[in-house]
Structures are given as C-alpha cells and as structure tokens.
Amino acid sequence: MTQNNWPGAHGGGWGGAPQWGGPPPAPKPGVIPLRPLALGDIISGSFATIRAHWKTLAGVVLAVQAIVLPVMALVVGIAVAAVHDHFDPVFDPPFGEDPASEHVVPLVVAAVAVFVLLFVIGVLGMSVIAALCPAVLKEAVMGRPTTFRALWWSSVRRAPAVAGALFLSVVIAGAPVFLVLAVWVPLVATAGSGDDAVALLGLLPLLLLAAMPLAVWLNIRFGLAPAVVVLEGAGPVTGLRRSSALVRGDWWRIFGYTIVAVMLAGAVSYAIQLPFNFIGMFAIMPALQGIPEGGGAPSAGVITALVFAFLLIFLGGAASQVFQIGYGQLASALLYVDQRIRREGLAEAILADLAAAPAAGAAPTAPPHTGSGSGSGSGSDTDS
C-alpha cells in the first residue's frame, strides 16, 4: 500500500451533534457528500470533477494524443515503406493473372503487424486516460488541487496495470461471445452453401442474443477494476477480484447507474460534436462547388476551406470522444467510491485523513468554499 492509496475503513459515524429537523448534513470537502451516493450524486459529481479540473484533464489527454497519434502514423509509415514494392503486383496485377504469393505474404504479415502494434499503442493510450480519471477524482473528492505533472506521472505509472485489467475484463466478459463465434464459424465453413448454411446464418443472432446477458453481467462485475488498480495500487488480477467483491449483491443498482451515465455521456458528446460538424459541413459545401469539373487543380482558397472543414470535424469528434470516455470513467470511479463508502467506511477514512494532514506537516489548508472544497498541499499523485 502506498501513500497514494486511500486509507482503510475506520469505525464510527461521521460525527457532529444532532440538529433540529434531522441529522446533520454529510460533510462535503470536495465534489460529493461523504455518504452513500444516489444517482444524482454520481451524475453531478462527475460533472463537478470535470468543471473543477478540466484544465488538468484536457492537458493530460492532449499529451496522450500528441504522443499516440504520431507514433501510430510512424508505425503505418514504416510498414508502408517496407512493403511499398508489393502494392502494384498485388492490387494491379497483369490482366488474367493472380498475385504471386511472394507479394501477397509480405502484405499480409505487414497488415497483421500494423494491426497488433496499433492495437497495443491504442490500448496503452486509453489506459493512461482510464488511470487519469480515478486519480483526478481522488483529489476532487478530498477537495484538493491537482497539477498536470503529478497526474501525468501517476497515470503513466499505473497505465500498464490498468491496461492489464482492461484486457482481462474484455477477454472474460467477451468469452461468451467468443465461444459462440468459435463454435459457429467452423459449422458454417463445413456446411457449404446449402440450406444448412442459411439456417446457421439465421441462428447466429439468436446465439449472440443468448450470450449477451452473461457478457453484460461480467462487464458490470469487473467494471470497477480500473479504479481499484489506480486508487489501491493493485495489480490487474487483484483489481478484477476486488471489483467483483464490491459489486457483489449490488449489481442491479450499479448496472442502472452505469446505463444512465453511458447514455448521458453519449448525449452530451453528441451535442459537443454537432456544432463542429454543422460548421464543417457548411465550409465543405462551397469548397466542393469550387473544385473544377474538368479535373483541374483546385485553388488555394478551396484547399484551405477543405482543410479547415476537416479539422473542425476532426476536433469535434476528438472532443466528444474524450468527454464520453472521461465521463464514463469518472462515473465508474464514483461508483467505486460509493461502494467503499457503503461497505468499508471510506467516508470516515477520508475525514480522518484530511484531519490528520495538517498534523502530519502538510501545507495549510485554504478556507473551505462551496464547489471546489479546500486545498491541502499539492494533491500530488506522485507520492505513490
């Protein structure tokens, strides 16, 4: 257990003398009250975290994209350059001749290698973002500020473990679907083109429909693993086990909250992307009309308009995807916090940790104020 990890459960209640009209409100040092969370708390807490720390979130996400996209482009460029001489013999062979195997095999090998490398690079980049959200949420819940440098190194350091947890959860949750395909594909291959093949084609949707409930159940059961890996410093397998234990007995509530969060994230991300697409399409239409019909070179103004339009559409898509992924991860991390508050006394542990911070020599806290909580030190995640 490292200093970055939250302390264990503490006994006792939240404290505070009774007041007329009911119990005292739960303390709220950060973006959520330290009590069992309702659906509204999950939704508002995720939005509040984005509002309070959007600069740090955007900075880390942009840094990830600035590294991942050029590396992907470099991988594709190297692969194309390596097999460039085989393109024409395969895609433009002499009339009536089939491409020779000495040209086809290098292209197939290069395509497989590029796919694997791009997948690995993409998963690692995604894992940095998945590790970033719980790290930011930890500071947001405790009402502490964040810095780009601290969260960047914290996210990068935990990214391999998060990638392992995500990979294992996808493999396990997708096992029912993979099993259906593993049985169905050989049957179709051996059935030929008769009535049996047609019947098997119609059977596939039914088999997938039967496998999907188990896949969804497993996906929700392991959905808290990234938050466990980041906030508890656990390994991938331990993260899956802890997630399963935290979800056990509360699956339906977590499933419902997750569905609402995913739908809300999709709607907001679509609203973010819509104006970019709208302006981009209006820029494309006059530019397309300016392209010469005879096949001549378009003017510089037309090229500039097309580049501007495609950049707008690309930026809108990137912004919407970042929000959708980030909001979903924040909601999942809040569900982790909620389960630990309900079962392990995390609220009392957080309050004890905040109360002990000045005595341990931490920087003086700022006066509390509504919305962003109080600052305490650097809130660095580099302590792990």
Side-chain angles (χ1 to χ4, degrees):
M1 190 72 68
T2 63
Q3 294 181 0
N4 180 52
N5 305 328
W6 280 345
H10 290 256
W14 286 314
Q19 299 177 355
W20 292 105
K28 187 179 179 181
V31 295
I32 58 168
L34 297 182
R35 54 167 172 75
L37 303 178
L39 176 60
D41 298 319
I42 300 291
I43 294 173
S44 62
S46 300
F47 278 113
T49 303
I50 292 175
R51 285 196 304 268
H53 303 282
W54 69 270
K55 291 182 180 179
T56 306
L57 285 166
V60 174
V61 171
L62 289 175
V64 171
Q65 292 180 336
I67 295 174
V68 168
L69 294 180
V71 172
M72 285 183 169
L74 181 61
V75 168
V76 173
I78 292 174
V80 170
V83 297
H84 179 266
D85 295 338
H86 300 284
F87 278 107
D88 285 342
V90 172
F91 296 106
D92 190 21
F95 180 76
E97 295 183 12
D98 293 329
S101 60
E102 60 264 23
H103 297 297
V104 174
V105 171
L107 288 182
V108 173
V109 172
V112 172
V114 167
F115 175 80
V116 172
L117 288 174
L118 293 183
F119 176 78
V120 171
I121 295 169
V123 167
L124 288 176
M126 182 69 189
S127 299
V128 174
I129 299 175
L132 165 69
C133 292
V136 170
L137 183 67
K138 176 197 169 188
E139 306 303 329
V141 168
M142 301 183 77
R144 301 193 301 204
T146 59
T147 63
F148 170 85
R149 181 175 178 272
L151 289 176
W152 169 256
W153 288 114
S154 175
S155 303
V156 170
R157 197 163 48 241
R158 298 306 300 162
V162 172
L166 291 175
F167 177 76
L168 290 176
S169 63
V170 168
V171 170
I172 296 173
V177 176
F178 299 149
L179 180 61
V180 167
L181 294 176
V183 174
W184 180 82
V185 170
L187 290 176
V188 172
T190 58
S193 58
D195 295 338
D196 292 341
V198 175
L200 287 172
L201 289 175
L203 184 62
L204 179 60
L206 297 178
L207 294 175
L208 292 177
L209 188 63
M212 284 306 297
L214 179 57
V216 172
W217 182 79
L218 290 170
N219 187 61
I220 297 297
R221 196 168 184 85
F222 298 129
L224 306 185
V228 173
V229 168
V230 175
L231 296 176
E232 298 184 16
V237 176
T238 302
L240 295 181
R241 291 174 177 170
R242 275 283 287 158
S243 175
S244 179
L246 289 171
V247 172
R248 186 179 298 116
D250 224 354
W251 188 93
W252 281 107
R253 185 179 65 84
I254 295 175
F255 170 73
Y257 285 13
T258 301
I259 290 297
V260 173
V262 169
M263 294 176 62
L264 182 60
V268 175
S269 65
Y270 178 76
I272 292 173
Q273 188 175 7
L274 190 61
F276 288 91
N277 290 349
F278 189 75
I279 298 173
M281 291 304 298
F282 267 92
I284 284 177
M285 287 188 289
L288 293 177
Q289 293 176 356
I291 297 177
E293 295 183 0
S299 64
V302 171
I303 295 176
T304 302
L306 288 174
V307 171
F308 173 74
F310 285 120
L311 280 177
L312 272 180
I313 295 173
F314 173 79
L315 289 175
S320 67
Q321 286 299 312
V322 167
F323 175 85
Q324 188 169 11
I325 295 170
Y327 188 88
Q329 291 293 331
L330 287 172
S332 177
L334 273 175
L335 285 170
Y336 161 84
V337 173
D338 177 41
Q339 289 303 99
R340 286 202 61 188
I341 287 176
R342 292 171 184 269
R343 299 186 176 189
E344 300 178 358
L346 181 62
E348 296 90 331
I350 292 175
L351 293 175
D353 190 44
L354 291 173
T365 58
H369 55 282
T370 304
S372 60
S374 60
S376 60
S378 64
S380 172
D381 272 310
T382 57
D383 296 335
S384 59

